[in-house]
Amino acid sequence: MALLTFELPDGTTRRVDVVQVLNAGYAGRSQDDVAAHVAELAELGVPAPSVTPALYPVAPYLAQHTDRVGVQHGRTSGEAEWALVVDGDGDLLLTAACDHTDRELEVHGVAWSKNAGPDVLARRAWRLADVQERLDALTLRAWVTHAGSGEETLIQDGRLAELLTPAYWAEVLRERGDLVPGTVLISGTIPMAEGVDQFADRWRVELGDPATGDVIELAYDVVRMPAPIG
């Protein structure tokens, strides 16, 4: 299991012993957005899913607070997402997440690829109940940095209105008997900007609340591991 600690806006913290992680996929409310994401992945050789939305179980230890993700090759990338976290008291938390995925492996199986990299989560969170009434207005953005330029490029920019809601997924989990303390559900993502190279050396994701100006942020470097011996 993984132990995560989230700081809330009032300064209190919530410790979460992660027992299960589920990654949603193809989870846009708009079928046009879903089709766009399917097309993005098709360009990378990923076959279309048999059903949408999809849900992929991920090893619990892959839910991480980290500023460094080790990779084996240059075709891995993140995805800006929100995460629904059930804390130890059963309270629902909302935070920013980035699902770092092995795109080479994805062509052989999406579920496999989701287990080949971490789900990076921010260290701050909101109580879902505190932002519930304005969820659709919350913003979700991601920037990438390439070593050659050293400059950030906006690669994803949208609102939570584009994705299926936390309430939708909470009900799915409840029906499955999975809405239990220690559960982390990653939302699925919004389309990427055309022409931006997603195979970057750094990812930064922001979940923003325009009503308060508060922003939950995570960032990490993508670091190539040494070549294997043997």
Side-chain angles (χ1 to χ4, degrees):
M1 294 191 298
L3 177 62
L4 304 177
T5 302
F6 298 97
E7 181 181 349
L8 302 188
D10 64 5
T12 61
T13 59
R14 303 287 180 91
R15 290 165 60 89
V16 178
D17 288 307
V18 180
V19 299
Q20 64 176 340
V21 180
L22 298 162
N23 281 24
Y26 312 102
R29 285 189 228 175
S30 162
Q31 288 303 300
D32 289 341
D33 283 352
V34 172
H37 188 49
V38 171
E40 287 172 354
L41 294 178
E43 292 180 0
L44 301 174
V46 181
S50 59
V51 63
T52 61
L55 199 59
Y56 304 104
V58 173
Y61 70 86
L62 293 174
Q64 299 179 13
H65 297 313
T66 186
D67 57 8
R68 181 185 175 97
V69 171
V71 299
Q72 292 180 303
H73 54 80
R75 290 182 63 81
T76 71
S77 62
E79 294 179 341
E81 310 195 26
W82 54 257
L84 181 68
V85 180
V86 186
D87 74 7
D89 296 324
D91 202 7
L92 302 182
L93 308 180
L94 186 71
T95 191
C98 195
D99 167 24
H100 202 82
T101 301
D102 187 318
R103 303 301 180 187
E104 289 283 358
L105 188 57
E106 195 169 33
V107 303
H108 302 288
V110 174
W112 293 351
S113 70
K114 297 296 183 186
N115 278 276
D119 285 329
V120 182
L121 282 80
R123 298 176 186 272
R124 296 184 60 242
W126 299 315
R127 293 181 64 249
L128 180 61
D130 292 342
V131 295
Q132 182 67 52
E133 294 184 358
R134 55 183 186 276
L135 268 176
D136 281 1
L138 300 184
T139 59
L140 188 61
R141 297 188 176 99
W143 292 261
V144 293
T145 303
H146 298 90
S149 69
E151 297 181 359
E152 281 192 325
T153 303
L154 184 67
I155 190 170
Q156 292 178 282
D157 187 1
R159 295 185 300 129
L160 266 62
E162 299 176 48
L163 296 169
L164 294 172
T165 66
Y168 169 88
W169 287 114
E171 184 59 28
V172 169
L173 294 177
R174 187 176 290 108
E175 291 176 353
R176 290 165 51 102
D178 286 331
L179 194 66
V180 297
T183 295
V184 175
L185 183 136
I186 312 294
S187 66
T189 195
I190 56 178
M192 293 188 186
E194 294 184 7
V196 179
D197 181 8
Q198 64 182 287
F199 302 122
D201 299 287
R202 182 174 175 82
W203 277 78
R204 182 166 68 89
V205 173
E206 286 187 354
L207 177 64
D209 183 354
T212 64
D214 195 12
V215 172
I216 293 176
E217 179 185 83
L218 67 89
Y220 62 88
D221 294 320
V222 181
V223 181
R224 188 79 66 93
M225 291 186 287
I229 299 174

Coordinates of all heavy atoms in Angstrom, one line a residue, residues 24-106:
A24 N -10.0 5.9 -14.5 CA -11.0 6.0 -15.5 C -10.4 6.4 -16.9 O -9.4 7.0 -17.0 CB -12.0 7.1 -15.1
G25 N -11.0 6.0 -17.9 CA -10.6 6.3 -19.3 C -11.7 6.6 -20.2 O -12.9 6.1 -20.0
Y26 N -11.5 7.5 -21.2 CA -12.5 7.8 -22.2 C -13.7 8.4 -21.4 O -14.9 8.0 -21.7 CB -12.9 6.6 -23.0 CG -11.6 5.9 -23.6 CD1 -11.2 4.8 -23.0 CD2 -10.9 6.5 -24.6 CE1 -10.1 4.1 -23.5 CE2 -9.8 5.8 -25.1 CZ -9.4 4.7 -24.5 OH -8.2 4.0 -25.0
A27 N -13.5 9.3 -20.5 CA -14.5 9.7 -19.5 C -15.0 11.1 -19.7 O -15.5 11.7 -18.8 CB -13.9 9.6 -18.1
G28 N -14.9 11.6 -21.0 CA -15.5 12.9 -21.3 C -17.0 12.9 -21.3 O -17.6 11.9 -21.7
R29 N -17.6 14.0 -20.8 CA -19.1 14.1 -21.0 C -19.5 14.2 -22.4 O -20.5 13.8 -22.9 CB -19.6 15.3 -20.2 CG -19.6 15.0 -18.7 CD -20.4 16.2 -18.0 NE -19.6 16.7 -16.9 CZ -20.0 17.7 -16.1 NH1 -21.1 18.4 -16.5 NH2 -19.2 18.1 -15.1
S30 N -18.6 14.9 -23.2 CA -18.9 15.1 -24.6 C -18.3 14.0 -25.4 O -17.1 13.6 -25.3 CB -18.2 16.4 -25.1 OG -18.1 16.5 -26.5
Q31 N -19.1 13.4 -26.3 CA -18.7 12.3 -27.1 C -17.6 12.8 -28.1 O -16.8 12.0 -28.6 CB -19.8 11.6 -27.8 CG -20.7 10.8 -26.8 CD -19.9 9.7 -26.1 OE1 -19.3 8.8 -26.7 NE2 -19.8 9.8 -24.8
D32 N -17.7 14.1 -28.5 CA -16.7 14.7 -29.4 C -15.4 14.6 -28.7 O -14.3 14.3 -29.4 CB -17.1 16.1 -29.8 CG -18.3 16.1 -30.7 OD1 -18.6 15.1 -31.3 OD2 -18.9 17.2 -30.8
D33 N -15.3 15.0 -27.4 CA -14.0 15.0 -26.7 C -13.5 13.5 -26.6 O -12.3 13.3 -26.7 CB -14.2 15.6 -25.3 CG -14.3 17.1 -25.4 OD1 -14.0 17.7 -26.5 OD2 -14.5 17.7 -24.3
V34 N -14.4 12.6 -26.3 CA -14.0 11.2 -26.2 C -13.4 10.7 -27.5 O -12.4 10.1 -27.6 CB -15.2 10.3 -25.8 CG1 -14.8 8.8 -25.9 CG2 -15.7 10.6 -24.4
A35 N -14.1 11.1 -28.6 CA -13.6 10.7 -29.9 C -12.2 11.3 -30.2 O -11.4 10.7 -30.8 CB -14.6 11.1 -31.0
A36 N -12.1 12.6 -29.8 CA -10.8 13.2 -30.0 C -9.7 12.5 -29.2 O -8.5 12.3 -29.7 CB -10.9 14.7 -29.5
H37 N -10.0 12.1 -28.0 CA -8.9 11.4 -27.2 C -8.6 10.0 -27.8 O -7.5 9.6 -27.9 CB -9.4 11.2 -25.8 CG -8.3 10.7 -24.9 ND1 -7.1 11.2 -24.8 CD2 -8.4 9.7 -23.9 CE1 -6.3 10.5 -23.9 NE2 -7.1 9.6 -23.4
V38 N -9.7 9.3 -28.3 CA -9.5 8.0 -29.0 C -8.6 8.2 -30.2 O -7.7 7.4 -30.5 CB -10.8 7.4 -29.4 CG1 -10.6 6.2 -30.3 CG2 -11.6 7.0 -28.1
A39 N -8.8 9.3 -30.9 CA -8.0 9.6 -32.1 C -6.6 9.9 -31.7 O -5.6 9.5 -32.4 CB -8.6 10.8 -32.9
E40 N -6.4 10.7 -30.6 CA -5.0 11.0 -30.2 C -4.2 9.7 -29.9 O -3.1 9.5 -30.3 CB -5.0 11.8 -28.9 CG -5.5 13.2 -29.0 CD -5.7 13.9 -27.6 OE1 -5.6 13.2 -26.6 OE2 -5.9 15.1 -27.6
L41 N -4.9 8.8 -29.2 CA -4.2 7.5 -28.9 C -4.1 6.6 -30.1 O -3.1 5.9 -30.2 CB -5.0 6.8 -27.8 CG -5.1 7.5 -26.4 CD1 -5.9 6.7 -25.5 CD2 -3.7 7.7 -25.9
A42 N -5.0 6.7 -31.1 CA -4.9 5.9 -32.3 C -3.6 6.3 -33.1 O -3.0 5.4 -33.7 CB -6.1 6.1 -33.1
E43 N -3.3 7.6 -33.0 CA -2.1 8.0 -33.7 C -0.8 7.4 -33.1 O 0.2 7.2 -33.7 CB -1.9 9.5 -33.6 CG -3.0 10.3 -34.4 CD -2.8 11.8 -34.3 OE1 -1.9 12.2 -33.5 OE2 -3.6 12.5 -34.9
L44 N -0.9 6.9 -31.8 CA 0.2 6.2 -31.1 C 0.0 4.7 -31.3 O 0.8 4.0 -30.7 CB 0.2 6.7 -29.7 CG 0.4 8.2 -29.4 CD1 0.2 8.4 -27.9 CD2 1.7 8.6 -29.9
G45 N -1.0 4.3 -32.0 CA -1.2 2.8 -32.2 C -2.0 2.1 -31.2 O -2.1 0.9 -31.1
V46 N -2.7 2.9 -30.3 CA -3.6 2.3 -29.3 C -5.0 2.0 -29.9 O -5.6 2.9 -30.4 CB -3.7 3.3 -28.1 CG1 -4.6 2.7 -27.0 CG2 -2.3 3.7 -27.5
P47 N -5.4 0.8 -29.8 CA -6.7 0.4 -30.3 C -7.8 1.1 -29.5 O -7.7 1.4 -28.3 CB -6.8 -1.1 -30.2 CG -5.8 -1.4 -29.1 CD -4.7 -0.4 -29.2
A48 N -9.0 1.3 -30.2 CA -10.1 2.0 -29.6 C -10.7 1.0 -28.5 O -10.7 -0.2 -28.7 CB -11.2 2.3 -30.6
P49 N -11.2 1.6 -27.4 CA -11.8 0.7 -26.4 C -13.1 0.1 -26.9 O -13.8 0.6 -27.8 CB -12.1 1.7 -25.3 CG -12.3 3.0 -26.0 CD -11.4 3.0 -27.1
S50 N -13.5 -1.0 -26.2 CA -14.8 -1.7 -26.6 C -15.9 -1.1 -25.9 O -17.1 -1.2 -26.4 CB -14.7 -3.2 -26.2 OG -14.4 -3.3 -24.8
V51 N -15.7 -0.3 -24.9 CA -16.8 0.4 -24.2 C -16.2 1.6 -23.5 O -15.1 1.7 -23.1 CB -17.4 -0.6 -23.1 CG1 -16.4 -0.9 -22.0 CG2 -18.6 0.1 -22.4
T52 N -17.1 2.7 -23.5 CA -16.7 3.9 -22.8 C -17.8 4.3 -21.9 O -19.0 4.1 -22.2 CB -16.4 5.1 -23.8 OG1 -17.6 5.3 -24.6 CG2 -15.3 4.7 -24.7
P53 N -17.5 4.9 -20.7 CA -16.2 5.1 -20.1 C -15.6 3.7 -19.7 O -16.3 2.8 -19.5 CB -16.4 6.0 -18.9 CG -17.8 5.7 -18.5 CD -18.6 5.4 -19.8
A54 N -14.3 3.7 -19.6 CA -13.6 2.5 -19.1 C -13.0 2.7 -17.7 O -13.0 3.8 -17.2 CB -12.4 2.1 -20.1
L55 N -12.7 1.6 -17.0 CA -12.1 1.7 -15.7 C -11.1 0.6 -15.5 O -11.3 -0.5 -15.7 CB -13.3 1.5 -14.7 CG -13.0 2.0 -13.2 CD1 -12.7 3.5 -13.2 CD2 -14.2 1.6 -12.4
Y56 N -9.8 1.1 -15.2 CA -8.7 0.2 -15.1 C -8.1 0.1 -13.7 O -7.7 1.2 -13.2 CB -7.6 0.7 -16.1 CG -8.0 0.9 -17.5 CD1 -8.3 2.2 -18.0 CD2 -8.2 -0.2 -18.3 CE1 -8.7 2.3 -19.3 CE2 -8.6 0.0 -19.7 CZ -8.8 1.2 -20.1 OH -9.2 1.4 -21.4
P57 N -8.1 -1.0 -13.1 CA -7.5 -1.2 -11.8 C -5.9 -1.0 -11.9 O -5.3 -1.4 -12.8 CB -7.8 -2.6 -11.3 CG -8.9 -3.0 -12.2 CD -8.7 -2.3 -13.5
V58 N -5.4 -0.3 -10.9 CA -4.0 0.0 -10.9 C -3.4 -0.4 -9.5 O -4.1 -0.3 -8.5 CB -3.7 1.5 -11.1 CG1 -2.3 1.9 -10.9 CG2 -4.2 1.9 -12.5
A59 N -2.2 -0.9 -9.5 CA -1.6 -1.3 -8.2 C -1.6 -0.1 -7.2 O -1.2 1.0 -7.6 CB -0.2 -1.8 -8.4
P60 N -2.0 -0.3 -6.0 CA -2.1 0.8 -5.0 C -0.8 1.6 -4.8 O -0.8 2.8 -4.6 CB -2.5 0.1 -3.7 CG -3.2 -1.1 -4.2 CD -2.5 -1.6 -5.4
Y61 N 0.4 0.9 -4.9 CA 1.6 1.6 -4.6 C 1.9 2.6 -5.7 O 2.8 3.5 -5.5 CB 2.8 0.6 -4.5 CG 3.2 -0.1 -5.8 CD1 4.1 0.5 -6.7 CD2 2.7 -1.3 -6.1 CE1 4.5 -0.1 -7.8 CE2 3.1 -2.0 -7.2 CZ 3.9 -1.4 -8.1 OH 4.3 -2.0 -9.3
L62 N 1.2 2.6 -6.8 CA 1.5 3.6 -7.9 C 0.9 4.9 -7.6 O 1.2 5.9 -8.4 CB 1.0 3.0 -9.2 CG 1.7 1.8 -9.7 CD1 1.1 1.2 -11.0 CD2 3.2 2.1 -10.0
A63 N 0.0 5.1 -6.6 CA -0.5 6.4 -6.2 C 0.6 7.0 -5.4 O 0.9 6.6 -4.3 CB -1.8 6.2 -5.4
Q64 N 1.2 8.1 -5.9 CA 2.4 8.7 -5.3 C 2.4 10.2 -5.2 O 1.8 10.9 -6.1 CB 3.7 8.3 -6.0 CG 3.9 6.8 -6.1 CD 5.1 6.4 -7.0 OE1 5.9 7.3 -7.3 NE2 5.3 5.2 -7.3
H65 N 3.0 10.7 -4.1 CA 3.5 12.1 -4.1 C 5.0 12.0 -4.5 O 5.8 11.4 -3.8 CB 3.4 12.7 -2.7 CG 2.1 12.8 -2.1 ND1 1.0 13.3 -2.8 CD2 1.6 12.5 -0.8 CE1 -0.1 13.3 -2.0 NE2 0.3 12.8 -0.8
T66 N 5.3 12.6 -5.6 CA 6.7 12.5 -6.1 C 7.0 13.7 -7.0 O 6.1 14.2 -7.7 CB 7.0 11.2 -6.8 OG1 8.4 11.1 -7.1 CG2 6.2 11.0 -8.1
D67 N 8.2 14.1 -7.1 CA 8.7 15.2 -8.0 C 9.6 14.6 -9.1 O 10.2 15.3 -9.8 CB 9.3 16.3 -7.3 CG 10.5 15.9 -6.5 OD1 10.9 14.8 -6.5 OD2 11.0 16.8 -5.7
R68 N 9.7 13.2 -9.2 CA 10.6 12.6 -10.1 C 10.0 11.2 -10.5 O 9.7 10.4 -9.7 CB 11.9 12.4 -9.4 CG 13.0 11.8 -10.2 CD 14.3 11.5 -9.4 NE 15.3 10.8 -10.1 CZ 16.3 11.4 -10.7 NH1 16.4 12.8 -10.6 NH2 17.3 10.8 -11.3
V69 N 9.8 11.0 -11.8 CA 9.3 9.8 -12.3 C 10.4 9.2 -13.2 O 10.8 9.8 -14.2 CB 8.0 10.0 -13.1 CG1 7.6 8.7 -13.9 CG2 6.9 10.5 -12.2
G70 N 10.8 8.0 -12.9 CA 11.8 7.3 -13.7 C 11.1 6.5 -14.8 O 10.1 5.8 -14.6
V71 N 11.7 6.6 -16.0 CA 11.1 5.9 -17.2 C 12.2 5.1 -17.9 O 13.4 5.4 -17.8 CB 10.5 6.9 -18.2 CG1 9.3 7.6 -17.5 CG2 11.5 7.9 -18.7
Q72 N 11.8 4.1 -18.7 CA 12.8 3.3 -19.4 C 13.1 3.7 -20.8 O 14.1 3.3 -21.4 CB 12.2 1.8 -19.4 CG 12.2 1.2 -18.0 CD 11.7 -0.2 -18.1 OE1 10.6 -0.5 -18.6 NE2 12.5 -1.2 -17.6
H73 N 12.3 4.6 -21.3 CA 12.5 5.1 -22.7 C 11.8 6.4 -22.9 O 11.2 7.0 -22.0 CB 11.9 4.1 -23.7 CG 10.5 3.7 -23.5 ND1 9.5 4.4 -23.9 CD2 10.0 2.6 -22.9 CE1 8.3 3.9 -23.6 NE2 8.6 2.7 -22.9
G74 N 11.8 7.0 -24.1 CA 11.4 8.3 -24.4 C 9.9 8.5 -24.8 O 9.5 9.6 -25.1
R75 N 9.2 7.4 -24.8 CA 7.8 7.5 -25.2 C 6.8 7.2 -24.0 O 6.0 6.3 -24.0 CB 7.5 6.5 -26.4 CG 8.2 7.0 -27.7 CD 7.9 6.1 -28.8 NE 6.4 6.0 -29.2 CZ 5.8 6.9 -29.9 NH1 6.5 8.0 -30.4 NH2 4.5 6.8 -30.2
T76 N 6.9 8.1 -23.0 CA 6.0 8.1 -21.9 C 5.5 9.5 -21.8 O 6.2 10.5 -22.1 CB 6.7 7.6 -20.6 OG1 7.6 8.6 -20.1 CG2 7.4 6.3 -20.8
S77 N 4.3 9.6 -21.2 CA 3.8 11.0 -21.0 C 2.7 11.0 -20.0 O 2.1 9.9 -19.6 CB 3.2 11.5 -22.3 OG 2.1 10.7 -22.8
G78 N 2.4 12.2 -19.4 CA 1.4 12.3 -18.4 C 0.0 12.7 -19.0 O -0.2 12.8 -20.2
E79 N -1.0 12.9 -18.1 CA -2.3 13.3 -18.5 C -2.9 14.1 -17.3 O -2.9 13.6 -16.2 CB -3.2 12.2 -18.8 CG -2.9 11.4 -20.0 CD -3.8 10.2 -20.3 OE1 -4.5 9.8 -19.3 OE2 -3.8 9.7 -21.4
A80 N -3.3 15.3 -17.6 CA -3.9 16.1 -16.5 C -5.3 15.5 -16.1 O -6.1 15.3 -17.0 CB -4.1 17.6 -17.0
E81 N -5.4 15.3 -14.8 CA -6.7 14.7 -14.3 C -7.0 15.2 -12.9 O -6.1 15.8 -12.3 CB -6.5 13.2 -14.3 CG -6.0 12.6 -15.6 CD -6.2 11.1 -15.8 OE1 -7.1 10.6 -15.2 OE2 -5.4 10.5 -16.6
W82 N -8.2 15.0 -12.5 CA -8.5 15.2 -11.1 C -8.5 13.8 -10.4 O -8.7 12.8 -11.1 CB -9.8 15.9 -10.8 CG -11.0 15.4 -11.5 CD1 -11.6 16.0 -12.6 CD2 -11.9 14.3 -11.1 NE1 -12.8 15.2 -12.9 CE2 -12.9 14.2 -12.0 CE3 -11.8 13.4 -10.0 CZ2 -13.9 13.3 -11.9 CZ3 -12.8 12.4 -9.9 CH2 -13.8 12.4 -10.8
A83 N -8.4 13.7 -9.1 CA -8.5 12.5 -8.4 C -9.5 12.6 -7.3 O -9.5 13.6 -6.5 CB -7.1 12.1 -7.8
L84 N -10.3 11.6 -7.1 CA -11.3 11.5 -6.0 C -10.6 10.5 -5.0 O -10.3 9.4 -5.4 CB -12.6 10.9 -6.5 CG -13.7 10.7 -5.5 CD1 -14.2 12.1 -5.0 CD2 -14.9 9.9 -6.1
V85 N -10.5 11.0 -3.8 CA -9.8 10.2 -2.7 C -10.8 10.0 -1.6 O -11.3 11.0 -1.1 CB -8.5 10.9 -2.3 CG1 -7.8 10.1 -1.2 CG2 -7.6 11.2 -3.4
V86 N -10.9 8.8 -1.1 CA -11.7 8.5 0.1 C -10.8 8.4 1.3 O -9.9 7.5 1.3 CB -12.5 7.2 -0.1 CG1 -13.5 7.0 1.1 CG2 -13.3 7.2 -1.4
D87 N -10.9 9.3 2.2 CA -10.0 9.3 3.3 C -10.4 8.3 4.4 O -11.4 7.6 4.2 CB -9.8 10.7 3.9 CG -11.0 11.2 4.7 OD1 -11.9 10.4 5.0 OD2 -11.0 12.4 5.1
G88 N -9.7 8.3 5.5 CA -9.9 7.2 6.5 C -11.2 7.3 7.1 O -11.7 6.3 7.7
D89 N -11.9 8.5 7.1 CA -13.2 8.6 7.7 C -14.3 8.5 6.7 O -15.5 8.7 7.0 CB -13.3 10.0 8.4 CG -12.3 10.2 9.6 OD1 -12.1 9.2 10.3 OD2 -11.8 11.3 9.8
G90 N -14.0 8.2 5.5 CA -15.0 8.1 4.4 C -15.3 9.4 3.7 O -16.2 9.4 2.9
D91 N -14.6 10.5 4.1 CA -14.9 11.8 3.5 C -14.2 11.7 2.1 O -13.2 11.1 1.9 CB -14.2 12.9 4.3 CG -14.8 14.2 4.1 OD1 -15.8 14.3 3.3 OD2 -14.3 15.2 4.6
L92 N -14.9 12.5 1.2 CA -14.4 12.5 -0.2 C -13.5 13.8 -0.4 O -14.0 14.9 -0.2 CB -15.5 12.5 -1.2 CG -16.5 11.3 -1.1 CD1 -17.6 11.4 -2.2 CD2 -15.7 10.0 -1.2
L93 N -12.3 13.6 -0.9 CA -11.4 14.7 -1.2 C -11.2 14.7 -2.7 O -11.3 13.8 -3.5 CB -10.1 14.4 -0.5 CG -10.0 14.1 0.9 CD1 -8.6 13.9 1.4 CD2 -10.7 15.2 1.7
L94 N -10.9 16.0 -3.2 CA -10.6 16.2 -4.6 C -9.2 16.8 -4.7 O -8.9 17.8 -4.0 CB -11.7 17.1 -5.2 CG -11.6 17.4 -6.7 CD1 -12.0 16.1 -7.5 CD2 -12.5 18.5 -7.1
T95 N -8.4 16.3 -5.6 CA -7.1 16.9 -5.8 C -6.7 16.8 -7.3 O -7.4 16.2 -8.1 CB -6.1 16.2 -4.9 OG1 -4.8 16.9 -4.9 CG2 -5.8 14.7 -5.3
A96 N -5.5 17.3 -7.6 CA -5.0 17.2 -9.0 C -4.2 15.9 -9.1 O -3.5 15.5 -8.1 CB -4.1 18.4 -9.3
A97 N -4.1 15.4 -10.3 CA -3.4 14.1 -10.6 C -2.8 14.2 -12.0 O -3.3 14.9 -12.8 CB -4.3 12.9 -10.4
C98 N -1.8 13.4 -12.2 CA -1.2 13.2 -13.5 C -0.9 11.7 -13.7 O 0.0 11.2 -12.9 CB 0.0 14.0 -13.7 SG 0.6 14.2 -15.4
D99 N -1.6 11.1 -14.6 CA -1.4 9.6 -14.8 C -0.3 9.5 -15.9 O -0.5 9.7 -17.0 CB -2.7 9.1 -15.4 CG -2.6 7.7 -16.0 OD1 -1.7 7.0 -15.6 OD2 -3.5 7.4 -16.8
H100 N 0.9 9.0 -15.4 CA 2.1 8.9 -16.3 C 2.0 7.5 -16.9 O 2.1 6.5 -16.2 CB 3.4 9.2 -15.6 CG 4.5 9.6 -16.5 ND1 4.6 10.8 -17.0 CD2 5.4 8.8 -17.2 CE1 5.6 10.9 -17.8 NE2 6.1 9.7 -18.0
T101 N 2.0 7.5 -18.2 CA 1.6 6.3 -19.0 C 2.8 5.9 -20.0 O 3.3 6.8 -20.6 CB 0.3 6.5 -19.7 OG1 -0.7 6.8 -18.8 CG2 -0.1 5.2 -20.5
D102 N 3.0 4.6 -20.1 CA 4.0 4.1 -21.0 C 3.3 3.9 -22.4 O 2.5 3.0 -22.5 CB 4.5 2.8 -20.5 CG 5.7 2.2 -21.4 OD1 5.6 2.3 -22.6 OD2 6.6 1.7 -20.8
R103 N 3.5 4.8 -23.3 CA 2.8 4.8 -24.6 C 3.3 3.6 -25.5 O 2.5 3.1 -26.3 CB 3.0 6.1 -25.3 CG 2.5 7.3 -24.6 CD 1.1 7.2 -24.2 NE 0.7 8.4 -23.4 CZ -0.5 8.6 -22.8 NH1 -1.4 7.6 -22.9 NH2 -0.8 9.7 -22.2
E104 N 4.5 3.1 -25.3 CA 4.9 2.0 -26.1 C 4.1 0.7 -25.6 O 3.7 -0.1 -26.4 CB 6.4 1.7 -25.8 CG 7.3 2.7 -26.5 CD 7.5 2.5 -28.0 OE1 6.9 1.5 -28.5 OE2 8.1 3.3 -28.7
L105 N 3.9 0.6 -24.3 CA 3.2 -0.6 -23.8 C 1.7 -0.4 -24.1 O 1.0 -1.4 -24.2 CB 3.5 -0.7 -22.3 CG 3.0 -1.9 -21.6 CD1 3.5 -3.2 -22.2 CD2 3.4 -1.9 -20.1
E106 N 1.2 0.8 -24.2 CA -0.2 1.0 -24.3 C -0.8 0.4 -25.6 O -1.9 0.0 -25.6 CB -0.5 2.5 -24.3 CG -1.9 2.9 -24.1 CD -2.1 4.4 -23.9 OE1 -1.3 5.2 -24.5 OE2 -3.0 4.8 -23.2

